[in-house]
Each structure stands twice: as C-alpha cells, then as structure tokens.
C-alpha cells in the first residue's frame, strides 16, 4: 500500500520555477472512465435498474459519493450509499484485475517527470483501495505520494486535495501544475491556485486564465510544464 502520510518537503533546484506536478488518475493517466461506468451499470443492473447513458457524463469523473448519490436519486433504489460504494469499488477492481490501459502519453510523461526529478503526486477522488489496485499498472515508484478521495474531508471540486498535495510536497500551489480531464477536477485545481492542464475526456473544457487545454498527454512534457509556470500560458492546443 502506498502511504498517504505527509512526506518531507521536496523542492526542485534553486531557480527552477516549476515545483511540483499533481496528476489526476481516472481518465487522465488511466483510461478507466468507461470501466467505472461499466461497474456502476453492472451493480445497478443487479438491483433491477437500467442506467440511461445520459447519466454517464454526470457521474463519470466526479467524487464517488456524489456520483452514486445521483444514481440513487434517479433510480430510487433502496440500497444504501455505503453498500453501493463498496459494491461498485469491488466490481471495478474485478474489471481491472488484469490491468487497465494507460492514456496516450501517460507512461512517457511519468518517466520524463521522474528523470527530471520533478516532485509528482497522484491526487484522485477514487478511494484508497482503488488507487492501490491501479498502482500495479501505474507504478508506485512514479509518485512521491498518492492522495485518495476517502483520505480527505472535502474532495474535488473543492481545492482541498490539491492544497494538501502541494503542502505535503513543500510547494507553492502557484508554482504547481495540475493535470486533469474533467470539469470537476479542473475546478479543484484552479480553486487551489494551481496552473491547470486540461485533457478533456467526456465533456469539452474551454481554455481560461491559468488553464491550458490539450487533446492528449502526448502534448505534455517537462519543458511545456515549466513554461506554464514561467509564462502563464493560456491556450487551447486541440
């Protein structure tokens, strides 16, 4: 298991403006959004409920409690939130037991960040048990530490996850870059005061101040990330 306890402050060499990169997991590094939807539809089907595809864009990428709560409301199920979250987590882990595909450019980016000694944290709304299962694919060695959604009182879209990650790395949020794929995650990173690189998965995300939109992680490398902190680049690279 990867510990989520605070780590010693880690800063890049003097004069290097980029202090840390904070990465989302589902839909950003790992192509799991469809797998989560399959887990949710499977569990609700077992209870006699068919989920309409219209709900996919609402629940995918959001905090699990909020997503499941929405599905409970639209289906009227009598199962409890706690029961459903455990069942969905279990179904998801069964589906990824043989591994999950990484997003294009993810492995290369993680390798490059490690080679340049850039402090890197995995910051996810997923639960600890799910992150630990996914680290078998991602490689725990690629992250200074990981932070799960059930290890913090308020998860995305609140700023708390990214503020916590920056603090544990001894970094200034304004000199961190967050990489996210959903509106919820982008909102969290921006509320924390970080630069954000958005790689939209299901829902389009427009460029905005301190937000750069790219179509793939293939467009993201260390010089590019450093340039965002130095020059506050705000462009759409779709």
């Amino acid at each position: 298991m990867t510990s989520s306890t605070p780590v010693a402050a880690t800063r890049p060499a003097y004069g290097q403006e980029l202090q840390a990169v904070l990465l989302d997991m589902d839909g950003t590094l790992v192509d799991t959004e469809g797998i989560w939807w399959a887990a949710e539809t499977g569990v609700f089907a077992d209870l006699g409920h068919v989920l309409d595809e219209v709900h996919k864009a609402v629940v995918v990428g959001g905090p699990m409690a909020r997503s499941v709560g929405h599905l409970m409301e639209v289906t009227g199920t009598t199962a409890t939130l706690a029961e459903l979250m455990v069942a969905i987590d279990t179904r998801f882990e069964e589906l990824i037991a043989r591994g999950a595909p990484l997003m294009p450019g993810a492995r290369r980016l993680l390798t490059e960040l490690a080679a340049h000694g850039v402090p890197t944290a995995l910051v996810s709304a997923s639960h600890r048990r799910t992150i630990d299962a996914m680290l078998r694919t991602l490689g725990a060695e690629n992250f200074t530490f990981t932070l799960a959604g059930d290890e913090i009182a308020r998860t995305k879209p609140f700023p708390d996850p990214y503020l916590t990650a920056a603090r544990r790395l001894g970094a200034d949020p304004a000199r961190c870059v967050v990489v996210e794929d959903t509106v919820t995650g982008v909102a969290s990173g921006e509320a924390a005061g970080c630069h954000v690189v958005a790689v939209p998965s299901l829902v389009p995300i427009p460029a905005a101040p301190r937000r750069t939109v790219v179509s793939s992680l293939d467009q993201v490398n260390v010089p590019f990330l450093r340039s965002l902190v130095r020059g506050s680049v705000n462009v759409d690279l779709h």
Side-chain angles (χ1 to χ4, degrees):
M1 175 181 291
T2 300
S3 172
S4 61
T5 55
V7 298
T10 306
R11 288 184 182 274
Y14 178 80
Q16 181 177 321
E17 292 93 339
L18 175 67
Q19 291 185 344
V21 175
L22 314 175
L23 297 151
D24 174 52
M25 184 176 74
D26 294 298
T28 300
L29 291 176
V30 190
D31 190 6
T32 54
E33 301 295 24
I35 302 175
W36 275 115
W37 180 244
E40 290 159 348
T41 56
V43 167
F44 275 87
D46 291 345
L47 298 172
H49 304 288
V50 178
L51 297 181
D52 192 296
E53 283 281 329
V54 71
H55 301 295
K56 184 175 182 179
V58 177
V59 303
V60 171
M64 191 172 186
R66 188 190 71 186
S67 299
V68 177
H70 171 80
L71 296 176
M72 291 174 65
E73 182 178 348
V74 299
T75 60
T77 182
T78 57
T80 68
L81 178 64
E83 290 170 338
L84 288 168
M85 289 199 298
V86 169
I88 292 170
D89 269 340
T90 300
R91 184 70 59 89
F92 178 81
E93 289 168 19
E94 292 170 353
L95 293 173
I96 65 166
R98 296 183 180 179
L102 296 188
M103 298 298 288
R107 179 68 66 197
R108 188 265 317 151
L109 176 59
L110 291 175
T111 300
E112 185 176 342
L113 289 168
H116 283 80
V118 178
T120 305
L122 183 67
V123 183
S124 175
S126 290
H127 291 178
R128 167 54 53 191
R129 58 183 282 188
T130 302
I131 289 179
D132 287 341
M134 197 63 68
L135 285 173
R136 291 195 291 269
T137 297
L138 285 169
E141 69 278 3
N142 288 309
F143 306 100
T144 307
F145 75 94
T146 65
L147 180 65
D150 56 345
E151 295 171 337
I152 193 165
R154 299 193 309 175
T155 188
K156 306 170 188 181
F158 293 101
D160 306 37
Y162 287 115
L163 288 174
T164 299
R167 183 175 68 250
R168 291 182 181 178
L169 291 172
D172 177 358
R175 294 170 68 182
C176 295
V177 176
V178 164
V179 184
E180 277 279 1
D181 72 304
T182 66
V183 172
T184 298
V186 167
S188 176
E190 291 180 342
C194 304
H195 296 264
V196 175
V197 174
V199 193
S201 54
L202 293 175
V203 179
I205 300 173
R210 296 176 67 85
R211 180 197 308 167
T212 302
V213 183
V214 299
S215 59
S216 167
L217 290 179
D218 283 327
Q219 297 173 268
V220 181
N221 55 33
V222 170
F224 169 73
L225 294 169
R226 287 174 175 160
S227 75
L228 299 182
V229 176
R230 286 198 304 267
S232 297
V233 176
N234 305 303
V235 298
D236 189 328
L237 298 180
H238 272 68

